[in-house]
Amino acid sequence: MKLTTTFSRKASMIRSDNPLSEDQLRSVAPSIFAEGRHASRSERYTYIPTIDVLRSLHDEGFEVFMAAQGGSRIEGKEAFTKHMLRLRHASQINGDEANEVVLINSHDGTSSYQMLAGMFRFVCQNGLVCGDTFADVRVHHKGNVIDQVIEGAYEVLHGFEQVQDSC
């Protein structure tokens, strides 16, 4: 399983050894807080609010430690572009390895909603990670997706429990 998303060198990014606040996230990745879909999307597109997912994961003990957002050449579209967040559970904040959830989403049609979970090893200072994933959830922005997103979040959380029990 490979992470199949890229961000250009011009992407905005923030990474920290401490959990990031919503203000920090908003300054680097405002599309996390988009209040709806981009105007280019049809009525069939179902908006999945990233910030609501993040707040629910936060209630389960997950904190954001890295955020990135791509840019856009189209004026006004940047507030809806693809973003990526890396979250760790509060019980595993420091160390050379960590269980992480990688969340990818957009509100302009450039990405499905994706959650990848696994044990990652930090390779270098630029944020490169390697490791094994044990949960991969992808939800297309069509139809009644909210139940799928919630189910996917619990699938990821269940995967973490299995890994923690085996350690």
Side-chain angles (χ1 to χ4, degrees):
M1 171 49 216
K2 286 187 174 182
L3 182 61
T4 57
T5 192
T6 58
F7 289 87
S8 74
R9 290 181 216 160
K10 295 181 181 179
S12 56
M13 181 173 50
I14 186 171
R15 184 176 43 251
S16 176
D17 290 334
N18 299 309
L20 298 171
S21 69
E22 285 192 13
D23 287 339
Q24 289 173 304
L25 294 174
R26 190 180 308 274
S27 70
V28 172
S31 63
I32 293 168
F33 300 89
E35 294 182 9
R37 67 182 189 269
H38 185 261
S40 66
R41 302 294 86 207
S42 74
E43 291 299 317
R44 292 183 344 177
Y45 177 94
T46 303
Y47 168 67
I48 303 172
T50 304
I51 189 58
D52 291 352
V53 174
L54 284 180
R55 288 174 178 154
S56 295
L57 288 170
H58 176 79
D59 292 345
E60 295 292 332
F62 288 88
E63 300 282 354
V64 179
F65 285 82
M66 182 272 199
Q69 177 177 313
S72 178
R73 294 181 185 150
I74 300 169
E75 189 173 328
K77 197 173 183 183
E78 191 168 295
F80 303 91
T81 58
K82 182 168 48 173
H83 43 274
M84 177 174 69
L85 302 144
R86 289 183 15 206
L87 300 96
R88 294 183 214 148
H89 195 270
S91 65
Q92 297 184 340
I93 290 180
N94 294 315
D96 294 334
E97 294 181 341
N99 289 332
E100 281 196 347
V101 172
V102 178
L103 189 151
I104 300 165
N105 196 13
S106 76
H107 306 297
D108 65 356
T110 57
S111 176
S112 63
Y113 169 86
Q114 302 172 51
M115 275 180 77
L116 306 159
M119 174 64 83
F120 298 99
R121 181 169 36 96
F122 308 107
V123 178
C124 61
Q125 290 289 63
N126 72 359
L128 180 68
V129 295
C130 66
D132 295 316
T133 60
F134 51 80
D136 176 13
V137 176
R138 293 170 190 252
V139 178
H140 296 281
H141 290 263
K142 293 180 182 174
N144 182 12
V145 299
I146 301 303
D147 291 341
Q148 294 174 49
V149 169
I150 292 168
E151 183 179 315
Y154 280 105
E155 182 180 322
V156 168
L157 292 173
H158 178 70
F160 271 120
E161 290 170 0
Q162 290 177 330
V163 168
Q164 289 171 338
D165 289 344
S166 67
C167 293

